[in-house]
């Protein structure tokens, strides 16, 4: 059986021939495969990093990466000049303020090599382990809203539904309705794309929460807190370093988020029990600690 042509697939998926075996019998067919290409970020005509990524939502990716990696502090500080599809991959050329470009040049000189993640290649510990300012937003959500967002996230992964190879990051309103989803082969990339989309669409970061289809690593927690997101729920486990950062950054970190349960590691006051109402936001009583 042959599938639809590439044009009928979502961006980021392509068809490739495969010999598939089931029950001792084999057959040749076309299979949907997730794309993976080098994406180079060039700031003010100077190359900075090359990421292996799914070539979809590239403007969101470029904007979100610049924000989550601390290259710029505000969305208005980054302008996408052009996106070039080359034989070797994709090059995204961006323009940032001169002062930020000078800081980036100094950072580039301290890197031993280009990398697909934000902390690799950093020469100094303080550069690798950034701790963002404490999150000011204090959204409150009910458990049923978290479960609703997780269900909708599973149903909204068009690339993964065909390929089984991508992560997703989703943004949900306080009632659990999913507003935005971005996918990528890399969990960090999916989150960067979502952060870029949140800023591009003007979503209020104090009125929703984040759900991701991956483990909650340090870098995922750092990117979420840097964006001002108050609650992140991951379907898999957190790392010890992610928990430490979330505690310091006033980020509610939830792991093993499934239909039948979850584990809250930091700032549990934001997740309301089933019997409690689910306001869109609660008063800000200040930073509190998880028991």
């Amino acid at each position: 059986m042959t599938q639809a042509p590439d044009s009928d697939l979502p961006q980021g998926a392509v068809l490739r021939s495969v010999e598939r075996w089931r029950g001792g019998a084999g057959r040749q067919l076309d299979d949907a495969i997730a794309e993976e290409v080098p994406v180079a970020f060039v700031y003010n005509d100077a190359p900075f990093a090359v990421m292996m990524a799914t070539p979809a939502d590239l403007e969101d990716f470029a904007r979100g990466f610049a924000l989550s990696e601390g290259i710029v502090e505000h969305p208005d500080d980054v302008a996408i000049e052009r996106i070039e599809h080359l034989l070797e991959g994709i090059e995204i050329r961006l323009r940032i303020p001169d002062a930020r470009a000078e800081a980036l040049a100094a950072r580039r000189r301290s890197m031993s090599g280009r990398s697909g993640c934000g902390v690799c290649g950093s020469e100094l510990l303080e550069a690798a382990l950034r701790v963002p300012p404490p999150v000011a937003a204090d959204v409150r959500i009910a458990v049923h809203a978290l479960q609703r967002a997780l269900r909708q996230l599973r149903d909204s992964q068009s690339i993964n539904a065909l390929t089984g190879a991508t992560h997703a990051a989703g943004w949900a309103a306080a009632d659990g309705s999913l507003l935005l989803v971005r996918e990528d082969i890399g969990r960090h990339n999916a989150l960067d794309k979502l952060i870029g989309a949140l800023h591009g669409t003007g979503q209020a970061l104090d009125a929703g929460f984040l759900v991701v289809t991956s483990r909650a690593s340090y870098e995922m927690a750092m990117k979420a807190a840097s964006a001002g997101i108050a609650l992140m729920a991951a379907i898999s486990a957190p790392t010890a370093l992610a928990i430490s950062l979330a505690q310091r950054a006033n980020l509610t970190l939830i792991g093993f988020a499934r239909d039948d349960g979850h584990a809250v590691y930091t700032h549990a006051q934001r997740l309301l029990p089933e019997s409690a109402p689910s306001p869109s936001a609660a008063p800000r009583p200040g930073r509190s600690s998880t028991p």
Side-chain angles (χ1 to χ4, degrees):
M1 183 176 119
T2 301
Q3 296 187 8
D6 282 6
S7 60
D8 293 335
L9 296 176
Q11 188 178 19
V14 294
L15 291 181
R16 295 292 183 267
S17 179
V18 61
E19 185 178 286
R20 179 165 293 169
W21 288 78
R22 291 288 188 274
R27 58 175 178 154
Q28 197 79 21
L29 51 79
D30 288 338
D31 197 12
I33 305 295
E35 286 190 276
E36 182 179 22
V37 302
V39 178
F41 294 111
V42 180
Y43 296 95
N44 293 22
D45 303 317
F48 175 68
V50 177
M51 312 290 288
M52 299 304 298
T54 302
D57 304 302
L58 293 174
E59 291 190 6
D60 292 337
F61 187 25
R63 188 181 298 109
F65 180 86
L67 289 164
S68 72
E69 291 296 322
I71 294 169
V72 298
E73 294 182 354
H74 306 288
D76 292 342
D77 287 341
V78 58
I80 301 172
E81 294 186 327
R82 63 183 182 275
I83 298 175
E84 296 183 341
H85 292 258
L86 308 172
L87 180 63
E88 301 85 355
I90 297 172
E91 187 175 80
I92 304 178
R93 304 189 73 88
L94 305 105
R95 186 67 51 181
I96 59 178
D98 290 341
R100 305 302 299 182
E102 291 172 6
L104 191 61
R107 177 175 166 183
R108 187 186 304 111
R109 286 192 294 271
S110 74
M111 293 176 67
S112 58
R114 295 176 184 172
S115 169
C117 69
V119 299
C120 301
S122 297
E123 188 174 81
L124 303 176
L125 285 175
E126 56 267 32
L129 302 181
R130 298 190 284 125
V131 178
V135 175
D138 200 29
V139 66
R140 304 294 175 98
I141 69 167
V143 170
H144 67 80
L146 173 60
Q147 293 171 343
R148 179 185 183 189
L150 292 168
R151 289 192 300 270
Q152 291 189 7
L153 184 63
R154 286 195 299 269
D155 296 338
S156 301
Q157 299 173 59
S158 59
I159 302 175
N160 191 64
L162 291 169
T163 68
T166 58
H167 284 292
W171 182 252
D175 66 357
S177 57
L178 206 62
L179 304 177
L180 286 171
V181 176
R182 291 295 182 268
E183 291 183 87
D184 198 275
I185 55 166
R187 63 186 187 276
H188 306 127
N189 299 343
L191 181 51
D192 281 335
K193 288 179 178 181
L194 181 69
I195 291 171
L198 287 170
H199 286 286
T201 57
Q203 294 287 334
L205 297 183
D206 60 352
F209 62 99
L210 169 67
V211 285
V212 297
T213 62
S214 66
R215 70 181 185 271
S217 64
Y218 162 83
E219 191 173 11
M220 295 290 282
M222 182 270 293
K223 287 176 179 289
S226 296
I229 293 170
L231 186 150
M232 178 174 77
I235 67 169
S236 192
T239 65
L241 191 57
I243 294 171
S244 297
L245 179 139
Q247 184 63 45
R248 294 172 62 185
N250 197 29
L251 169 69
T252 297
L253 181 61
I254 300 172
F256 298 106
R258 313 286 171 81
D259 289 338
D260 58 351
H262 55 271
V264 187
Y265 292 89
T266 59
H267 302 287
Q269 76 278 1
R270 292 195 181 100
L271 188 63
L272 305 177
E274 287 289 1
S275 59
S278 179
S280 60
R284 297 178 183 174
R287 183 172 178 176
S288 62
S289 299
T290 302

